[in-house]
Amino acid sequence: MNVNQSVPPVPPFGQPQPVYPGYHQSSYGGQPGPTVPPVPYGAYNGPVSSYQQTPPQGVSRAPPSSGVPPASTAQTAYTQFGQGDVQNGPSSSVQMQRLPGSQPFGSPLVPAVSQPAVLQSYGPPPTSAQVTAQLAGMQISGAVAPASPPSGLGYGPPTSLASASGSFPNSGLYGSYPQGQAPPLGQGHPGVHPPQRSAVPLASSFTPPASGGPRMPSMTGPPLPGQGFGGPPVSQPNHVSSPPPQALPPGAQMTGPPGPPPPMQSPPQPGYQLQQNGSFGPARGPQPSYGSPYPGAPTFGSQPGPPQPLPPKRLDPDAIPSPQLNELPPQQKTRHRIDPDAIPSPIQVIEDDRNNRGSEPFVTGVRGQVPPLVTTNFLVKDQGNASPRYIRCTSYNIPCTSDMAKQAQVPLAAVIKPLARLPPEEASPYVVDHGESGPLRCNRCKAYMCPFMQFVEGGRRFQCCFCSCVNDVPPHYFQHLDHTGKRVDAYDRPELSLGSYEFLATVDYCKNNKFPSPPAFIFMIDVSYNAIRTGLVRLLCEELKSLLDFLPREGGAEESAVRVGFVTYNKVLHFYNVKSSLAQPQMMVVSDVADVFVPLLDGFLVNVSESRAVITSLLDQIPEMFADTRETETVFAPVIQAGMEALKAAECAGKLFLFHTSLPIAEAPGKLKNRDDRKLINTDKEKTLFQPQTGTYQTLAKECVAQGCCVDLFLFPNQYVDVATLSVVPQLTGGSVYKYACFQVENDQERFLRDLRRDVQKIVGFDSVMRVRTSTGIRAVDFFGAFYMSNTTDVELAGLDEDKTVTVEFKHDDRLNEESGALLQCALLYTSCAGQRRLRIHNLALNCCTQLADLYRNCETDTLINYMAKFAYRGVLSSPVKTVRDALITQCAQILACYRKNCASPSSAGQLILPECMKLLPVYLNCVLKSDVLQPGAEVTTDDRAYVRQLVTTMDVAETNVFFYPRLLPLTKSPIESTAEPPAVRASEERLSNGDIYLLENGLNLFLWVGASVQQGVVQSLFSVASFSQITSGLSVLPVLDNPLSKKVRGLIDSLRAQRSRYMKLIVVKQEDKLEMLFKHFLVEDKSLSGGASYVDFLCHMHKEIRQLLS
């Protein structure tokens, strides 16, 4: 089709687009471009009516605190609960306020939380009177400079804050700290409210927990400075309530959002003292000499909202009181611990991001905006930059120089998912056909035409935005420019107006200069004794009969173009001729496994609809043919070799589906021995457990990639099968590994069949090559994922499916320019399932900064953790696990210490200060450190570790987020008629009430935990038994009962499964049951059995590391 003739699609092109005053229109560098006429097309950032209210994106929004996306929209006021009854964190009843779109970029705003947060110092020991007041009046504000006080509250002198933990539990890894170092923090009562990723942070005040949490011993006496006046103390953990408009300091004017108030010089009045969000430790008084965090940096802030009633009290999630042990009076030493509600909560951050950013579309027209969190449901409008579903970055504002990048230690990386599946409301990338001339590219760097290319000389030439080379525009592509220098057909051409699109490739982009044939699928089935005995072969053959009707097809095609073939094997291989003209299938045996060949060409790969009868007959016969087999030995490498040779003979790319049960010990290439040895754990030789035991498989994988042969491996082991070696070919060819240990048909068939169906049906790009180009100044230096690289730039994938990501790290090779920013272009060349050769292009523009604060304000913690986990999981192949863990901790400490040193207001060393959008870095990093790969418990097998290591390598950001910090959902708290997902609670045992039922999911596992004192009616409604004791522990299917609760819980389980790329098998766990140990392994905020620190302990450890770096 010729794009010029098509009617311009309505949403992306020609539609008016949001304008953000202060962002000048046509040029990306922020230089004023000529203004654009209202017709016929809006300028790139032209005015749009429907999004007038969006804030200047990338400006007003405080940097995302990392975490999972927000869930519920309404925030309810917090009420007090009895013991064992925990609510998901205090939340403010006031809705977050956004800045009006008309706020000019440079105007002063109240500094937001993204500014350096102030932390409280561990000062001299408090007097006993101060101890009473300790937790009484802490206030945190998003401002660096003191913001306007809420009406009726003055500022009080600093109160020193204690949190008592008598002894610091030694968590194996992190022991107790010498006095004078980090505060000893105990493991308290984990709090349940989610951290906020606020759009506009406002001040909020906090006081000690009223109930449920640890309390200070009560002392009588007159109120101290810093204590409330009467009524319940206030708290809004990390929620923002704005000071009322009338309480502005003298001199501030109410025009738009208020500017920072003048430094305080008035005498202190009793009341609450301000403190910055993101800070921990005893509160400090306002410091008159520090007006704004760093001179010249734009500050981002909040808009005053209406006064509101104060909810009941809880400690602020951002202020950890923690004095030294010897500062506490003796009677307090053992009675208190840190209230875990006082440290940043992932749940709160997710919840807040959902509330603040889930309601309006994310429009990609502005350079360098940080997208909503992966846990937030949001719509994307492509207006020139690729959707975050395709590319997410660790930071959207990258340092201009390599020195600055080295100083900050924040890795610059992008997690790219080129074929990501989009929600139905978003259009797939448009396909552009330029005919025989093919897509237009830069002559020098070969970048593809994109919205950032600059047309010059009246449209006759264009300047490449990546390498600055000036190229001629071919006559057939010529178009006049409007008075802004933009082509008049820009909105008719996807490649000039969208971030993501596809080109049809010409024959020059094809192997051997000829168009490819449609791909083929070959099913290779282990028919050894183990596979037959478990019923696997019969189950699989039965399923394939119907599954073959659902092979992937292109667009509106009536049937799939994919051809299929069948092989069975044990010590030898059996090929089947299923040609449509045969009455019965024919079997041919290849017993020379040392030098495998394909015994037939015609009739091996067939069209399903033509050979339907013969295929059905074969699938009926296979289980009978091998029913009495006694053969226990299997081969493995020759099976892959045979499949690859078959594709080579047919001159097509394709995929092998291997169903395998045991360690391949039969005499053949790729024969393996059992080398499982738990004694190597925690030694220098531990890395050998993750390395393949022979080089055969790497060589084989290389041949597969050259042929476009992708391998998906389904394993059904009863014992050690050496996943580290068997997964080499799937890993290097872009395939997947699925593992079903101790497979039993009755328990595991649902999971296996669902995984198989999805794997066969999903969209795959075959015989793919991906290259990431960057503008001058940075370049791609490192790649993580399931692929093969024969040079330093091309990522080769025999197959790339919609779930796979490639993670790319960038380094500086020159200075970047703040005006022009940095550009990435990911180009993927692939063959579609219909055999069409295509190029998929994704473009992304990032900002560049000379101030470290801008880097820290635009980071995405979830993407950072995704990168760090992959980096660490690759590290275990070559370094001892302890070295890898230490390197992670050191890097995290350096990132946070650099922020503390360069961006935070001066404050005592006793304070732990976290950047607003990285406040979850410690909790998430601790989850990575405690994962099975880096710190295995006694029950984790070597195969499990190799399996998880390989899985995480290709995960996207949403998958690593829930994998490392699982979701814990209480089921009986929300109203039965509500269909919404219940709000999650923090992953800690202290959150579990024994009168409730909880679902826990991490993308691979799904648990239903039942408390011992759950109501009898609930047990009856869900399990159809009379009492708790009659529930079968380990149950994997809930009975289908006709009552609201049963329908709700089963519906919720189905919806959780639908969100994940792998089917999660349900396990019912009863409180105090032996299975509960397995369940508790996923409560990641607690101390783990394998020696992993609790969240509170780890935060103390990080604080100690940061202080050492700063001193």
Side-chain angles (χ1 to χ4, degrees):
M1 98 189 189
N2 181 340
V3 177
N4 288 322
Q5 293 162 356
S6 62
V7 184
V10 183
F13 318 128
Q15 99 182 350
Q17 302 170 2
V19 65
Y20 304 114
Y23 279 99
H24 297 292
Q25 294 182 335
S26 55
S27 79
Y28 268 82
Q31 289 164 317
T35 50
V36 183
V39 280
Y41 300 104
Y44 211 60
N45 295 327
V48 77
S49 45
S50 41
Y51 298 109
Q52 212 59 39
Q53 304 84 344
T54 33
Q57 306 203 348
V59 181
S60 69
R61 161 175 185 262
S65 38
S66 83
V68 236
S72 73
T73 340
Q75 300 183 344
T76 48
Y78 191 60
T79 52
Q80 281 165 289
F81 288 92
Q83 273 214 303
D85 221 352
V86 207
Q87 147 145 344
N88 194 6
S91 62
S92 104
S93 46
V94 151
Q95 285 295 323
M96 307 279 312
Q97 302 224 355
R98 282 189 171 271
L99 290 176
S102 63
Q103 175 60 35
F105 188 76
S107 68
L109 307 175
V110 178
V113 187
S114 57
Q115 312 301 33
V118 187
L119 261 214
Q120 312 148 345
S121 53
Y122 305 109
T127 61
S128 68
Q130 279 173 313
V131 171
T132 332
Q134 282 168 345
L135 297 168
M138 247 169 59
Q139 178 158 14
I140 289 204
S141 94
V144 182
S148 46
S151 56
L153 302 179
Y155 292 91
T159 47
S160 99
L161 231 27
S163 108
S165 122
S167 60
F168 181 70
N170 189 339
S171 56
L173 198 81
Y174 315 111
S176 41
Y177 301 103
Q179 289 173 2
Q181 298 217 348
L185 306 177
Q187 295 156 293
H189 200 63
V192 177
H193 52 255
Q196 271 260 129
R197 170 185 201 175
S198 39
V200 182
L202 312 166
S204 48
S205 38
F206 299 88
T207 43
S211 68
R215 306 167 185 228
M216 306 301 294
S218 57
M219 303 185 192
T220 50
L224 295 151
Q227 262 180 313
F229 299 94
V234 273
S235 135
Q236 300 147 1
N238 217 4
H239 277 259
V240 286
S241 66
S242 38
Q246 64 271 33
L248 289 169
Q253 296 166 6
M254 276 304 285
T255 54
M264 302 265 318
Q265 266 125 18
S266 52
Q269 306 150 338
Y272 293 82
Q273 167 203 343
L274 263 188
Q275 179 165 342
Q276 254 180 281
N277 217 344
S279 54
F280 304 89
R284 305 160 50 83
Q287 306 185 351
S289 46
Y290 306 113
S292 126
Y294 21 82
T299 49
F300 297 73
S302 56
Q303 208 175 334
Q308 77 191 60
L310 297 162
K313 52 196 178 179
R314 267 276 168 120
L315 256 187
D316 161 36
D318 282 342
I320 303 187
S322 36
Q324 299 300 8
L325 209 54
N326 55 8
E327 296 176 14
L328 296 177
Q331 78 274 19
Q332 276 183 263
K333 280 196 183 163
T334 52
R335 301 201 14 209
H336 304 294
R337 296 184 159 176
I338 281 182
D339 176 3
D341 283 355
I343 54 183
S345 149
I347 304 303
Q348 190 71 48
V349 169
I350 289 166
E351 197 70 25
D352 295 337
D353 193 73
R354 282 185 182 162
N355 295 337
N356 298 330
R357 306 200 64 195
S359 53
E360 55 196 43
F362 177 70
V363 182
T364 71
V366 179
R367 182 178 83 191
Q369 346 169 48
V370 186
L373 293 177
V374 283
T375 36
T376 298
N377 280 329
F378 59 97
L379 268 183
V380 179
K381 293 213 155 157
D382 185 342
Q383 290 188 358
N385 282 295
S387 159
R389 304 192 205 288
Y390 295 123
I391 306 183
R392 276 186 179 264
C393 295
T394 51
S395 178
Y396 287 80
N397 201 334
I398 60 183
C400 281
T401 63
S402 59
D403 291 346
M404 194 171 152
K406 280 182 192 133
Q407 188 184 356
Q409 288 283 316
V410 176
L412 304 176
V415 179
I416 306 175
K417 195 176 182 182
L419 297 178
R421 179 200 294 249
L422 299 180
E425 312 83 70
E426 293 175 23
S428 298
Y430 289 90
V431 182
V432 179
D433 184 359
H434 282 313
E436 288 183 16
S437 59
L440 191 54
R441 306 174 70 173
C442 168
N443 293 330
R444 185 195 290 162
C445 69
K446 301 296 181 211
Y448 293 86
M449 180 53 66
C450 71
F452 313 126
M453 298 288 190
Q454 201 83 43
F455 286 87
V456 293
E457 295 180 26
R460 284 186 293 279
R461 309 181 83 190
F462 71 92
Q463 182 171 23
C464 175
C465 50
F466 294 93
C467 70
S468 304
C469 172
V470 177
N471 301 266
D472 290 329
V473 172
H476 69 86
Y477 198 76
F478 172 79
Q479 185 56 275
H480 295 286
L481 308 185
D482 64 16
H483 67 286
T484 67
K486 207 175 185 64
R487 282 174 57 121
V488 293
D489 65 348
Y491 290 105
D492 296 334
R493 289 190 177 271
E495 74 273 22
L496 298 181
S497 52
L498 292 181
S500 302
Y501 42 87
E502 291 199 323
F503 291 119
L504 283 188
T506 58
V507 76
D508 307 337
Y509 292 86
C510 304
K511 219 180 251 178
N512 308 324
N513 276 5
K514 61 184 225 190
F515 284 111
S517 311
F521 285 178
I522 304 178
F523 296 91
M524 317 190 88
I525 306 166
D526 176 346
V527 288
S528 64
Y529 175 72
N530 275 338
I532 297 292
R533 180 184 58 82
T534 56
L536 168 65
V537 174
R538 189 173 295 279
L539 176 71
L540 175 58
C541 290
E542 205 48 51
E543 174 65 22
L544 284 177
K545 289 183 203 169
S546 56
L547 187 53
L548 294 177
D549 290 332
F550 296 99
L551 298 174
R553 65 191 69 179
E554 200 71 337
E558 287 192 16
E559 59 178 53
S560 175
V562 175
R563 292 169 296 162
V564 297
F566 301 89
V567 174
T568 57
Y569 67 94
N570 39 43
K571 261 167 58 172
V572 297
L573 281 75
H574 322 105
F575 287 76
Y576 296 93
N577 183 346
V578 283
K579 200 172 177 181
S580 55
S581 55
L582 295 173
Q584 284 294 321
Q586 295 171 348
M587 170 167 144
M588 299 181 186
V589 180
V590 175
S591 50
D592 181 6
V593 289
D595 183 17
V596 178
F597 65 98
V598 181
L600 76 162
L601 288 181
D602 191 28
F604 178 60
L605 293 179
V606 297
N607 180 298
V608 175
S609 55
E610 290 170 13
S611 298
R612 162 76 60 200
V614 195
I615 291 173
T616 305
S617 168
L618 171 67
L619 294 171
D620 284 335
Q621 290 175 39
I622 288 175
E624 307 307 329
M625 252 189 298
F626 298 99
D628 302 323
T629 186
R630 286 285 165 267
E631 186 55 76
T632 55
E633 293 187 358
T634 57
V635 294
F636 188 72
V639 184
I640 296 175
Q641 180 84 36
M644 183 199 58
E645 297 289 353
L647 293 175
K648 193 183 266 181
E651 296 186 353
C652 68
K655 188 182 263 199
L656 312 182
F657 295 84
L658 246 83
F659 304 89
H660 190 80
T661 59
S662 55
L663 193 69
I665 52 172
E667 273 311 322
K671 172 186 175 180
L672 302 179
K673 59 179 192 295
N674 187 334
R675 53 161 187 167
D676 190 15
D677 186 0
R678 289 193 65 84
K679 292 197 286 296
L680 297 181
I681 292 179
N682 294 327
T683 69
D684 283 352
K685 288 190 175 170
E686 183 173 7
K687 60 186 177 220
T688 59
L689 297 175
F690 296 110
Q691 297 165 351
Q693 53 171 293
T694 156
T696 311
Y697 290 97
Q698 271 110 324
T699 313
L700 182 56
K702 194 170 156 185
E703 293 174 30
C704 285
V705 172
Q707 184 45 49
C709 167
C710 174
V711 179
D712 280 358
L713 176 59
F714 292 79
L715 286 170
F716 304 87
N718 289 332
Q719 53 203 18
Y720 178 74
V721 289
D722 199 351
V723 172
T725 306
L726 297 189
S727 64
V728 165
V729 180
Q731 177 79 15
L732 292 177
T733 59
S736 309
V737 179
Y738 297 83
K739 180 167 161 285
Y740 309 88
C742 304
F743 180 82
Q744 293 174 304
V745 168
E746 55 279 11
N747 292 336
D748 302 299
Q749 78 170 44
E750 186 63 14
R751 179 161 79 103
F752 163 54
L753 294 180
R754 292 283 192 97
D755 283 345
L756 175 62
R757 285 169 199 157
R758 191 171 187 282
D759 196 57
V760 168
Q761 293 173 38
K762 66 186 172 189
I763 299 298
V764 183
F766 293 97
D767 217 350
S768 314
V769 184
M770 181 179 122
R771 182 177 282 197
V772 179
R773 293 181 173 84
T774 53
S775 54
T776 316
I778 53 169
R779 62 195 169 92
V781 291
D782 207 354
F783 299 84
F784 304 82
F787 52 76
Y788 174 75
M789 290 187 81
S790 56
N791 58 35
T792 56
T793 54
D794 293 338
V795 175
E796 298 174 45
L797 303 119
L800 173 69
D801 64 53
E802 59 193 30
D803 299 323
K804 296 281 187 306
T805 63
V806 176
T807 301
V808 186
E809 186 185 4
F810 303 98
K811 289 257 164 72
H812 287 74
D813 57 8
D814 202 348
R815 192 186 166 84
L816 290 165
N817 180 329
E818 259 187 302
E819 295 270 304
S820 51
L823 303 176
L824 316 177
Q825 184 178 80
C826 161
L828 175 77
L829 174 65
Y830 71 99
T831 302
S832 73
C833 54
Q836 199 175 50
R837 202 72 176 146
R838 291 186 178 178
L839 282 153
R840 179 170 288 201
I841 313 294
H842 298 297
N843 303 290
L844 185 63
L846 302 173
N847 285 330
C848 298
C849 58
T850 51
Q851 295 283 338
L852 280 166
D854 291 331
L855 163 69
Y856 283 102
R857 198 183 283 121
N858 290 282
C859 286
E860 235 237 334
T861 304
D862 295 321
T863 311
L864 202 53
I865 288 292
N866 179 287
Y867 166 82
M868 291 171 96
K870 289 171 181 177
F871 186 80
Y873 280 18
R874 185 176 68 183
V876 298
L877 291 172
S878 51
S879 310
V881 171
K882 183 178 186 312
T883 311
V884 173
R885 294 165 49 81
D886 292 347
L888 275 181
I889 293 171
T890 306
Q891 183 174 15
C892 180
Q894 284 173 328
I895 291 172
L896 298 176
C898 173
Y899 174 80
R900 168 66 190 262
K901 184 176 169 189
N902 297 289
C903 309
S905 316
S907 52
S908 106
Q911 301 174 342
L912 169 59
I913 303 183
L914 301 175
E916 171 61 22
C917 66
M918 278 192 192
K919 64 182 175 193
L920 298 182
L921 190 59
V923 62
Y924 285 162
L925 185 73
N926 190 35
C927 297
V928 174
L929 293 169
K930 290 177 4 174
S931 63
D932 292 340
V933 173
L934 299 181
Q935 194 161 30
E939 72 298 335
V940 180
T941 67
T942 306
D943 274 348
D944 286 337
R945 296 177 74 197
Y947 175 61
V948 168
R949 192 194 78 77
Q950 173 269 335
L951 265 184
V952 168
T953 313
T954 60
M955 280 185 180
D956 69 11
V957 180
E959 289 171 321
T960 50
N961 176 282
V962 76
F963 178 74
F964 289 115
Y965 193 95
R967 273 205 293 181
L968 183 62
L969 307 171
L971 297 185
T972 56
K973 293 268 166 66
S974 55
I976 286 207
E977 60 282 358
S978 156
T979 52
E981 212 171 85
V985 295
R986 290 168 73 166
S988 165
E989 193 175 352
E990 308 240 358
R991 302 293 165 187
L992 301 175
S993 144
N994 57 10
D996 205 350
I997 293 180
Y998 297 82
L999 262 181
L1000 181 142
E1001 66 116 357
N1002 74 341
L1004 298 178
N1005 309 84
L1006 188 59
F1007 294 95
L1008 186 71
W1009 183 88
V1010 186
S1013 46
V1014 71
Q1015 292 173 357
Q1016 206 172 332
V1018 171
V1019 172
Q1020 184 71 49
S1021 301
L1022 269 187
F1023 301 100
S1024 194
V1025 294
S1027 67
F1028 174 80
S1029 57
Q1030 292 173 288
I1031 299 171
T1032 315
S1033 180
L1035 190 70
S1036 60
V1037 181
L1038 290 180
V1040 178
L1041 303 172
D1042 188 13
N1043 66 66
L1045 182 63
S1046 174
K1047 285 178 182 165
K1048 177 181 173 174
V1049 172
R1050 284 181 291 111
L1052 179 60
I1053 289 172
D1054 289 343
S1055 90
L1056 292 179
R1057 283 172 172 161
Q1059 293 167 28
R1060 306 290 168 216
S1061 61
R1062 298 187 176 225
Y1063 183 84
M1064 299 182 289
K1065 175 182 166 185
L1066 179 71
I1067 300 176
V1068 173
V1069 176
K1070 295 163 69 175
Q1071 190 174 2
E1072 307 296 331
D1073 185 77
K1074 59 181 186 297
L1075 271 175
E1076 202 183 25
M1077 295 313 290
L1078 177 62
F1079 171 76
K1080 285 182 179 172
H1081 176 67
F1082 297 98
L1083 300 177
V1084 289
E1085 289 200 17
D1086 300 338
K1087 204 163 151 180
S1088 71
L1089 287 172
S1090 53
S1094 71
Y1095 174 18
V1096 169
D1097 293 357
F1098 184 70
L1099 204 55
C1100 293
H1101 182 71
M1102 277 322 299
H1103 190 187
K1104 177 184 156 195
E1105 294 278 328
I1106 292 166
R1107 290 180 67 175
Q1108 281 176 348
L1109 286 171
L1110 292 174
S1111 61

